[in-house]
Amino acid sequence: MKRFSLRVWIGWVLILISLALLIWGFYPLEQKRRELRISPQDMQLPAIQEVIPHARCFS
Amino acid sequence: MRDAFHRATSKPYTKMVSCATGLLLLALGLLACASAETEAPPLALPNTATSLPPSTPLPTQAAQIPEQRLLILEWPETIRVGDSDLILLTLEVDAEGNLTPTASIQGHQVKGEIFTVPNLYATHFVFAEGRLDISGLEVKPNPEIIESLQPGKRVKFAWSIRAEQVGNYRGMVWLHLVFKPKSGGIEERLALAAQRIDIRAVNLLGMSGNAARWMGVLGTLLGSLLSFDPIPALFGKLWKKKNECHPSRDQED
């Protein structure tokens, strides 16, 4: 009877450890999210005056 | 005696005079500064609203993409060693984007004036280029991905990452716009966003995610075999007891 209960005890410990491993292995990890608004002004080609500050002098 | 009296009276008098002149100079200095401060803004910022006559043509606008966009970056803060995860970069069309035409201010009245901004889609092929710069992690398919940007459509970039070792990994996610003129010519690049990401790779007692899962499955099976063995035995005992209680039934059967 004593040997039998020890075997059961070991089995339960094994199950608990295995469940902990499974939980760690399958637990969904946290995802981060960042949002940034982009206006049309940010998506424009640079004007000639921005590239060459004195462009008007040449024209 | 008289001289001594004069000296005694003249010292505070001169002190008072010098103090008064000092205060006067200080007050004059402060007044000068204050007047300079109050007068400075009109000089620094000319009133363009009043200076522009109604007939003045608006300054030429640079060609732009006539859409409000929303850039969404999603990444895992932590990953298990040996497992792969995704980094997603989406350039969404912002539904709430309110594109109001630029207004010109004349006096105190605001007049909305619609003028056409040159549309980049009409003159250029527009591409979005996403790039992931991170060292120490395996990145698939490529750190650089180029997608065509179409009006009103979203662009999505996905990178699969995998860590082989425990540690903290720091990287950058770049988004560039590439404008290629339809008429031919030199393409132009515009850096739209550069975002930093930090990813932590972890393990459990030196086990990777896959190893931990397999160990868990095997351990559960083995533990079940060891601990649930008495269940059939228990049922056997119950069966025996039942038979002892009704021995006639067994005999009949």
Side-chain angles (χ1 to χ4, degrees):
Chain A
M1 186 69 188
K2 203 175 183 182
R3 201 188 292 169
F4 179 78
S5 62
L6 180 70
R7 198 177 69 160
V8 172
W9 188 80
I10 289 167
W12 276 111
V13 169
L14 250 174
I15 286 172
L16 285 175
I17 292 168
S18 306
L19 282 176
L21 287 174
L22 283 171
I23 287 167
W24 183 81
F26 284 108
Y27 193 78
L29 295 171
E30 195 186 339
Q31 290 275 327
K32 274 209 158 186
R33 184 185 167 98
R34 196 184 291 155
E35 289 184 6
L36 187 73
R37 282 187 194 283
I38 296 169
S39 62
Q41 285 79 28
D42 298 326
M43 297 187 285
Q44 69 181 17
L45 284 173
I48 190 75
Q49 280 81 16
E50 289 172 36
V51 181
I52 310 164
H54 304 291
R56 279 178 191 175
C57 300
F58 299 109
S59 60
Chain B
M1 185 71 179
R2 221 176 186 184
D3 286 341
F5 178 71
H6 259 288
R7 273 178 206 161
T9 51
S10 65
K11 258 189 178 177
Y13 179 72
T14 50
K15 269 185 184 176
M16 275 176 67
V17 168
S18 60
C19 280
T21 48
L23 280 169
L24 194 69
L25 283 170
L26 191 68
L28 280 169
L30 283 171
L31 273 170
C33 287
S35 63
E37 274 174 13
T38 49
E39 282 169 15
L43 288 169
L45 299 166
N47 193 353
T48 50
T50 50
S51 63
L52 274 173
S55 58
T56 305
L58 288 159
T60 52
Q61 284 287 310
Q64 64 185 30
I65 293 172
E67 290 171 327
Q68 181 104 18
R69 294 263 177 172
L70 187 67
L71 186 68
I72 304 163
L73 178 65
E74 292 165 281
W75 77 98
E77 202 174 23
T78 314
I79 54 168
R80 297 179 198 93
V81 170
D83 283 7
S84 59
D85 213 323
L86 287 174
I87 295 176
L88 299 168
L89 182 71
T90 314
L91 190 59
E92 195 87 54
V93 179
D94 191 3
E96 291 172 12
N98 190 17
L99 287 180
T100 48
T102 307
S104 69
I105 303 161
Q106 292 178 345
H108 294 289
Q109 286 183 336
V110 179
K111 271 188 184 174
E113 191 176 328
I114 298 165
F115 62 88
T116 51
V117 176
N119 189 350
L120 262 175
Y121 288 125
T123 54
H124 291 71
F125 294 112
V126 187
F127 299 95
E129 184 190 287
R131 198 173 82 226
L132 173 65
D133 287 339
I134 196 161
S135 59
L137 293 179
E138 190 186 316
V139 180
K140 280 182 182 176
N142 277 322
E144 278 184 18
I145 305 171
I146 296 180
E147 292 279 338
S148 171
L149 192 69
Q150 299 291 331
K153 288 187 178 172
R154 74 171 183 186
V155 176
K156 199 165 192 171
F157 302 98
W159 292 276
S160 173
I161 51 159
R162 189 185 148 117
E164 292 295 331
Q165 284 182 340
V166 175
N168 290 313
Y169 299 93
R170 184 168 286 178
M172 288 289 280
V173 181
W174 292 84
L175 182 69
H176 284 88
L177 288 184
V178 181
F179 305 105
K180 203 172 182 181
K182 285 181 177 174
S183 56
I186 305 160
E187 65 176 35
E188 289 186 63
R189 285 167 65 86
L190 175 73
L192 205 60
Q195 300 190 63
R196 205 184 81 181
I197 53 168
D198 289 299
I199 296 169
R200 196 161 57 97
V202 292
N203 65 9
L204 185 70
L205 305 166
M207 278 186 287
S208 66
N210 222 11
R213 284 188 288 271
W214 275 112
M215 289 283 279
V217 171
L218 290 173
T220 310
L221 285 171
L222 193 66
S224 305
L225 280 172
L226 287 171
S227 59
F228 293 117
D229 185 56
I231 290 172
L234 185 71
F235 277 113
K237 275 181 189 174
L238 283 171
W239 185 255
K240 268 186 185 176
K241 273 186 183 176
K242 209 178 178 182
N243 287 345
E244 280 169 10
C245 289
H246 307 283
S248 56
R249 275 191 190 175
D250 285 346
Q251 282 172 1
E252 281 172 14
D253 293 335

